[in-house]
Amino acid sequence: MDIEPIQTVCDRVREQVRKTVVGQDAALDLMLVALLSEGHVLLEGVPGTAKTLLAQSFARSVNLDFGRIQFTPDLMPGDVLGTNLFNFQTSDFKLTKGPVFTQILLADEINRTPPKTQAALLQAMHERAVTIDGATHPLGDDFMVIATQNPIEQQGTYPLPEAQLDRFLFKHILDYPARDEERAIVARHGHRTVMPDLADFGLEAVADAAALADIRKVIAGLRLSDELIDYIVDIVRATREHESLEFGASPRSANMIATAARALAAMQGRDYVIPDDVKFIALPALRHRVVLSPGAEIEGLAADAVIRQVLDQIPAPR
């Protein structure tokens, strides 16, 4: 497979998702990048900004199994992973799989459950496998978590641990739609108050697991110059030295940015990465991996502003 079919597949996925979702193009592009680079996405936004509809439509368009977990304060790790139950007829234990055994998993309102249950996804997100009673069960190369969370300022939320956040390739903030987009939403969905049936919109699967595997092989071989490797490493290391940050980004984030930049380049029809790819990826890839210093919080600085300062300070290769 060459580069041109990759761009075509991505364009067709966008076309299908836009049958149901109005706007949110940036979120859709990041989800595509994450899928092609084997990453996970955290979507943050107030209720009613189409987070769930976007995830469902995306899974349907790429013909992958879709599962959903509604995270609540009383959810337990076994409710996510599954458990071994004793079968009295056969006198042995049988695994009852939890909802994590799928391909695209919507972890809805993930920050409304305590950290103990959030941690049930740590191994799944990093290793694409889960261990239950000492036995490891693979989840497959297409396993992807699309998690949603409400803004942390809302009642009944728990902050995600740093180890959990570091496993997300991207954190994207969903804003309210523009007026023309909101009008289009009402025109399209204003005759119902419940979640629309995707079948009513004629969504078609325009890719499958085999095609995605071929695309990932091509992306892994895309050119990333030594200068761009230095650029990525310098950006990540600069977050650890910035006076406004108490903790900077992890070494894992540099690997993730490099992989995601390759995927973005392929989506745009190029077999090589350019600095603009890295700049586009850097903000959603780093905003959840840094921790502001107490002084920066008192001054009202935001992580996004600090990361933009870092990007301005590090000269991009020519």
Side-chain angles (χ1 to χ4, degrees):
M1 178 184 288
D2 55 22
I3 294 298
E4 185 176 349
I6 298 177
Q7 188 177 19
T8 301
V9 168
C10 294
D11 289 341
R12 294 179 67 191
V13 170
R14 294 188 188 99
E15 179 183 354
Q16 293 301 314
V17 174
R18 287 168 183 161
K19 291 181 179 179
T20 59
V21 179
V22 178
Q24 306 299 1
D25 291 342
L28 177 55
D29 283 345
L30 291 177
M31 288 165 63
L32 274 167
V33 172
L35 180 66
L36 299 182
S37 50
E38 298 182 296
H40 311 285
V41 178
L42 176 62
L43 302 177
E44 181 179 297
V46 297
T49 48
K51 299 185 293 294
T52 301
L53 181 60
L54 180 62
Q56 289 182 338
S57 303
F58 182 72
R60 176 75 65 90
S61 68
V62 293
N63 198 29
L64 296 179
D65 293 337
F66 177 79
R68 175 177 177 174
I69 304 173
Q70 186 66 50
F71 282 81
T72 57
D74 59 348
L75 196 73
M76 299 297 291
D79 299 325
V80 175
L81 303 178
T83 186
N84 285 307
L85 298 178
F86 186 74
N87 188 324
F88 288 94
Q89 294 179 338
T90 60
S91 297
D92 60 4
F93 286 90
K94 182 179 179 180
L95 175 63
T96 300
K97 294 182 178 181
V100 74
F101 286 88
T102 188
Q103 291 174 309
I104 292 185
L105 175 67
L106 173 61
D108 205 11
E109 296 188 297
I110 190 173
N111 64 335
R112 290 200 181 278
T113 198
K116 178 176 72 171
T117 305
Q118 294 174 10
L121 290 176
L122 288 176
Q123 182 188 11
M125 294 175 67
H126 184 54
E127 302 176 21
R128 283 175 169 74
V130 295
T131 301
I132 303 173
D133 292 340
T136 300
H137 306 274
L139 298 175
D141 294 336
D142 294 307
F143 178 73
M144 174 182 177
V145 174
I146 301 175
T148 72
Q149 71 172 15
N150 300 112
I152 198 65
E153 294 81 8
Q154 292 195 351
Q155 293 184 352
T157 59
Y158 299 83
L160 269 65
E162 286 79 5
Q164 180 103 52
L165 288 170
D166 196 45
R167 282 162 167 77
F168 285 102
L169 171 57
F170 296 129
K171 177 183 177 182
H172 178 67
I173 311 296
L174 282 82
D175 294 324
Y176 285 113
R179 186 185 185 282
D180 58 339
E181 292 176 340
E182 194 159 3
R183 189 187 186 285
I185 293 170
V186 175
R188 185 176 302 180
H189 299 293
H191 60 288
R192 62 171 70 88
T193 58
V194 297
M195 176 70 71
D197 186 347
L198 300 185
D200 296 339
F201 295 88
L203 259 70
E204 301 176 3
V206 295
D208 56 24
L212 294 174
D214 290 340
I215 289 173
R216 292 188 186 111
K217 290 179 181 177
V218 174
I219 288 173
L222 260 61
R223 287 177 288 169
L224 185 65
S225 67
D226 290 341
E227 292 80 9
L228 278 174
I229 292 176
D230 291 337
Y231 183 49
I232 293 170
V233 171
D234 288 344
I235 290 172
V236 171
R237 292 181 65 85
T239 65
R240 304 173 200 156
E241 302 167 359
H242 199 286
E243 60 182 7
S244 298
L245 296 177
E246 187 170 4
F247 297 103
S250 68
R252 177 190 287 144
S253 62
N255 290 332
M256 288 187 168
I257 291 173
T259 304
R262 284 184 166 99
L264 181 62
M267 287 169 54
Q268 296 178 349
R270 286 181 277 104
D271 63 353
Y272 56 91
V273 179
I274 61 175
D276 284 347
D277 297 327
V278 177
K279 290 180 180 179
F280 179 84
I281 294 297
L283 183 59
L286 295 176
R287 60 160 53 106
H288 55 296
R289 291 187 162 91
V290 299
V291 178
L292 291 171
S293 66
E297 290 184 344
I298 292 173
E299 294 175 4
L301 280 177
D304 284 17
V306 177
I307 293 170
R308 289 191 179 98
Q309 290 178 11
V310 170
L311 293 174
D312 290 340
Q313 292 169 0
I314 305 297
R318 297 186 177 181

CSV table of all heavy atoms in Angstrom, one decimal, residues 189-217:
chain,number,residue,atom,x,y,z
A,189,HIS,N,-31.0,17.1,14.1
A,189,HIS,CA,-31.4,16.2,15.2
A,189,HIS,C,-32.5,16.8,16.1
A,189,HIS,O,-32.9,16.2,17.1
A,189,HIS,CB,-30.2,15.9,16.1
A,189,HIS,CG,-29.1,15.3,15.4
A,189,HIS,ND1,-29.1,14.0,15.0
A,189,HIS,CD2,-27.8,15.7,15.1
A,189,HIS,CE1,-28.0,13.6,14.4
A,189,HIS,NE2,-27.2,14.7,14.5
A,190,GLY,N,-33.1,17.9,15.7
A,190,GLY,CA,-34.1,18.6,16.5
A,190,GLY,C,-35.4,18.0,16.6
A,190,GLY,O,-36.3,18.5,17.3
A,191,HIS,N,-35.6,16.8,16.0
A,191,HIS,CA,-36.9,16.2,16.0
A,191,HIS,C,-36.9,15.0,17.0
A,191,HIS,O,-37.9,14.2,17.1
A,191,HIS,CB,-37.3,15.6,14.7
A,191,HIS,CG,-36.4,14.6,14.1
A,191,HIS,ND1,-35.1,15.0,13.6
A,191,HIS,CD2,-36.5,13.3,13.9
A,191,HIS,CE1,-34.5,13.9,13.2
A,191,HIS,NE2,-35.3,12.9,13.4
A,192,ARG,N,-35.8,14.9,17.8
A,192,ARG,CA,-35.7,13.8,18.8
A,192,ARG,C,-35.0,14.3,20.0
A,192,ARG,O,-34.2,15.3,20.0
A,192,ARG,CB,-35.0,12.6,18.2
A,192,ARG,CG,-33.6,12.9,17.8
A,192,ARG,CD,-32.8,11.6,17.5
A,192,ARG,NE,-33.2,11.1,16.2
A,192,ARG,CZ,-32.8,11.4,15.0
A,192,ARG,NH1,-31.8,12.4,15.0
A,192,ARG,NH2,-33.2,10.8,13.9
A,193,THR,N,-35.2,13.6,21.2
A,193,THR,CA,-34.5,14.0,22.4
A,193,THR,C,-33.6,12.8,22.9
A,193,THR,O,-33.0,13.0,23.9
A,193,THR,CB,-35.5,14.3,23.5
A,193,THR,OG1,-36.4,13.2,23.7
A,193,THR,CG2,-36.3,15.6,23.1
A,194,VAL,N,-33.6,11.7,22.2
A,194,VAL,CA,-32.8,10.6,22.5
A,194,VAL,C,-31.7,10.4,21.5
A,194,VAL,O,-31.6,11.1,20.5
A,194,VAL,CB,-33.6,9.3,22.6
A,194,VAL,CG1,-34.7,9.4,23.7
A,194,VAL,CG2,-34.3,9.0,21.3
A,195,MET,N,-30.7,9.5,21.9
A,195,MET,CA,-29.6,9.3,21.0
A,195,MET,C,-30.1,8.7,19.6
A,195,MET,O,-30.9,7.8,19.6
A,195,MET,CB,-28.6,8.2,21.6
A,195,MET,CG,-27.5,7.8,20.7
A,195,MET,SD,-26.3,9.1,20.4
A,195,MET,CE,-25.5,9.1,22.0
A,196,PRO,N,-29.7,9.3,18.5
A,196,PRO,CA,-30.2,8.9,17.2
A,196,PRO,C,-29.7,7.5,16.8
A,196,PRO,O,-28.6,7.1,17.3
A,196,PRO,CB,-29.6,9.9,16.2
A,196,PRO,CG,-28.4,10.5,16.9
A,196,PRO,CD,-28.7,10.5,18.4
A,197,ASP,N,-30.5,6.8,16.1
A,197,ASP,CA,-30.1,5.5,15.5
A,197,ASP,C,-29.2,5.7,14.3
A,197,ASP,O,-29.6,6.3,13.3
A,197,ASP,CB,-31.3,4.7,15.2
A,197,ASP,CG,-31.0,3.2,14.8
A,197,ASP,OD1,-29.8,2.9,14.6
A,197,ASP,OD2,-31.9,2.4,14.7
A,198,LEU,N,-27.9,5.2,14.4
A,198,LEU,CA,-27.0,5.4,13.3
A,198,LEU,C,-27.5,4.8,12.0
A,198,LEU,O,-27.1,5.3,10.9
A,198,LEU,CB,-25.6,4.8,13.7
A,198,LEU,CG,-24.9,5.4,14.9
A,198,LEU,CD1,-23.5,4.8,15.1
A,198,LEU,CD2,-24.8,6.9,14.9
A,199,ALA,N,-28.3,3.8,12.1
A,199,ALA,CA,-28.8,3.2,10.8
A,199,ALA,C,-29.7,4.2,10.0
A,199,ALA,O,-29.8,4.0,8.8
A,199,ALA,CB,-29.6,1.9,11.2
A,200,ASP,N,-30.3,5.1,10.7
A,200,ASP,CA,-31.1,6.1,10.0
A,200,ASP,C,-30.3,7.0,9.1
A,200,ASP,O,-30.9,7.7,8.3
A,200,ASP,CB,-31.9,6.9,11.1
A,200,ASP,CG,-32.9,6.0,11.8
A,200,ASP,OD1,-33.2,5.0,11.4
A,200,ASP,OD2,-33.3,6.5,12.9
A,201,PHE,N,-29.0,7.1,9.4
A,201,PHE,CA,-28.2,8.1,8.6
A,201,PHE,C,-27.4,7.4,7.5
A,201,PHE,O,-26.6,8.1,6.8
A,201,PHE,CB,-27.2,8.8,9.6
A,201,PHE,CG,-27.9,9.7,10.6
A,201,PHE,CD1,-28.3,9.1,11.8
A,201,PHE,CD2,-28.2,11.0,10.3
A,201,PHE,CE1,-29.0,9.9,12.7
A,201,PHE,CE2,-28.8,11.8,11.2
A,201,PHE,CZ,-29.2,11.3,12.4
A,202,GLY,N,-27.5,6.1,7.3
A,202,GLY,CA,-26.9,5.4,6.3
A,202,GLY,C,-25.4,5.3,6.4
A,202,GLY,O,-24.6,5.3,5.4
A,203,LEU,N,-24.9,5.2,7.6
A,203,LEU,CA,-23.4,5.1,7.8
A,203,LEU,C,-22.9,3.8,7.2
A,203,LEU,O,-23.5,2.8,7.4
A,203,LEU,CB,-23.1,5.2,9.3
A,203,LEU,CG,-22.5,6.5,9.8
A,203,LEU,CD1,-23.6,7.5,9.8
A,203,LEU,CD2,-21.9,6.4,11.2
A,204,GLU,N,-21.8,3.9,6.5
A,204,GLU,CA,-21.2,2.7,5.9
A,204,GLU,C,-19.8,2.5,6.5
A,204,GLU,O,-19.1,3.4,6.8
A,204,GLU,CB,-21.1,2.9,4.4
A,204,GLU,CG,-22.5,3.1,3.7
A,204,GLU,CD,-22.3,3.4,2.2
A,204,GLU,OE1,-21.1,3.3,1.7
A,204,GLU,OE2,-23.3,3.6,1.5
A,205,ALA,N,-19.4,1.2,6.5
A,205,ALA,CA,-18.0,0.9,6.9
A,205,ALA,C,-17.1,1.1,5.7
A,205,ALA,O,-17.3,0.4,4.7
A,205,ALA,CB,-18.0,-0.5,7.4
A,206,VAL,N,-16.2,2.0,5.8
A,206,VAL,CA,-15.3,2.3,4.7
A,206,VAL,C,-13.8,1.7,5.0
A,206,VAL,O,-12.9,2.0,4.2
A,206,VAL,CB,-15.2,3.8,4.4
A,206,VAL,CG1,-16.6,4.3,4.0
A,206,VAL,CG2,-14.8,4.6,5.7
A,207,ALA,N,-13.7,1.0,6.0
A,207,ALA,CA,-12.4,0.3,6.3
A,207,ALA,C,-12.6,-0.9,7.2
A,207,ALA,O,-13.8,-1.1,7.6
A,207,ALA,CB,-11.4,1.3,7.0
A,208,ASP,N,-11.6,-1.7,7.4
A,208,ASP,CA,-11.8,-2.8,8.3
A,208,ASP,C,-10.4,-3.1,9.0
A,208,ASP,O,-9.4,-2.4,8.7
A,208,ASP,CB,-12.2,-4.0,7.5
A,208,ASP,CG,-11.4,-4.4,6.4
A,208,ASP,OD1,-10.2,-4.1,6.4
A,208,ASP,OD2,-11.9,-5.1,5.4
A,209,ALA,N,-10.4,-4.1,9.8
A,209,ALA,CA,-9.2,-4.4,10.6
A,209,ALA,C,-8.0,-4.7,9.7
A,209,ALA,O,-6.8,-4.3,10.0
A,209,ALA,CB,-9.4,-5.5,11.6
A,210,ALA,N,-8.2,-5.4,8.6
A,210,ALA,CA,-7.1,-5.8,7.7
A,210,ALA,C,-6.5,-4.5,7.1
A,210,ALA,O,-5.3,-4.4,7.0
A,210,ALA,CB,-7.6,-6.8,6.7
A,211,ALA,N,-7.4,-3.6,6.6
A,211,ALA,CA,-6.9,-2.4,6.0
A,211,ALA,C,-6.1,-1.5,7.0
A,211,ALA,O,-5.1,-0.9,6.6
A,211,ALA,CB,-8.1,-1.6,5.4
A,212,LEU,N,-6.6,-1.5,8.2
A,212,LEU,CA,-6.0,-0.7,9.2
A,212,LEU,C,-4.6,-1.2,9.5
A,212,LEU,O,-3.6,-0.5,9.7
A,212,LEU,CB,-6.8,-0.6,10.5
A,212,LEU,CG,-8.1,0.2,10.4
A,212,LEU,CD1,-9.0,0.0,11.6
A,212,LEU,CD2,-7.9,1.6,10.0
A,213,ALA,N,-4.5,-2.6,9.5
A,213,ALA,CA,-3.2,-3.2,9.8
A,213,ALA,C,-2.2,-2.8,8.7
A,213,ALA,O,-1.0,-2.5,9.0
A,213,ALA,CB,-3.3,-4.7,9.9
A,214,ASP,N,-2.6,-2.9,7.4
A,214,ASP,CA,-1.8,-2.5,6.3
A,214,ASP,C,-1.3,-1.0,6.4
A,214,ASP,O,-0.2,-0.7,6.2
A,214,ASP,CB,-2.5,-2.7,5.0
A,214,ASP,CG,-2.7,-4.2,4.7
A,214,ASP,OD1,-1.9,-5.0,5.3
A,214,ASP,OD2,-3.6,-4.6,3.9
A,215,ILE,N,-2.3,-0.2,6.8
A,215,ILE,CA,-1.9,1.3,6.9
A,215,ILE,C,-0.9,1.5,8.0
A,215,ILE,O,0.1,2.3,7.8
A,215,ILE,CB,-3.2,2.1,7.2
A,215,ILE,CG1,-4.1,2.1,6.0
A,215,ILE,CG2,-2.9,3.5,7.7
A,215,ILE,CD1,-5.5,2.7,6.2
A,216,ARG,N,-1.0,0.8,9.1
A,216,ARG,CA,-0.1,1.0,10.2
A,216,ARG,C,1.3,0.5,9.8
A,216,ARG,O,2.3,1.1,10.2
A,216,ARG,CB,-0.5,0.2,11.4
A,216,ARG,CG,-1.8,0.8,12.1
A,216,ARG,CD,-2.1,0.1,13.4
A,216,ARG,NE,-3.4,0.5,13.9
A,216,ARG,CZ,-4.5,-0.2,14.0
A,216,ARG,NH1,-4.4,-1.5,13.6
A,216,ARG,NH2,-5.6,0.2,14.5
A,217,LYS,N,1.4,-0.5,9.0
A,217,LYS,CA,2.7,-0.9,8.5
A,217,LYS,C,3.4,0.1,7.6
A,217,LYS,O,4.6,0.4,7.7
A,217,LYS,CB,2.6,-2.2,7.7
A,217,LYS,CG,2.2,-3.5,8.6
A,217,LYS,CD,2.1,-4.7,7.7
A,217,LYS,CE,1.7,-5.9,8.5
A,217,LYS,NZ,1.5,-7.1,7.7
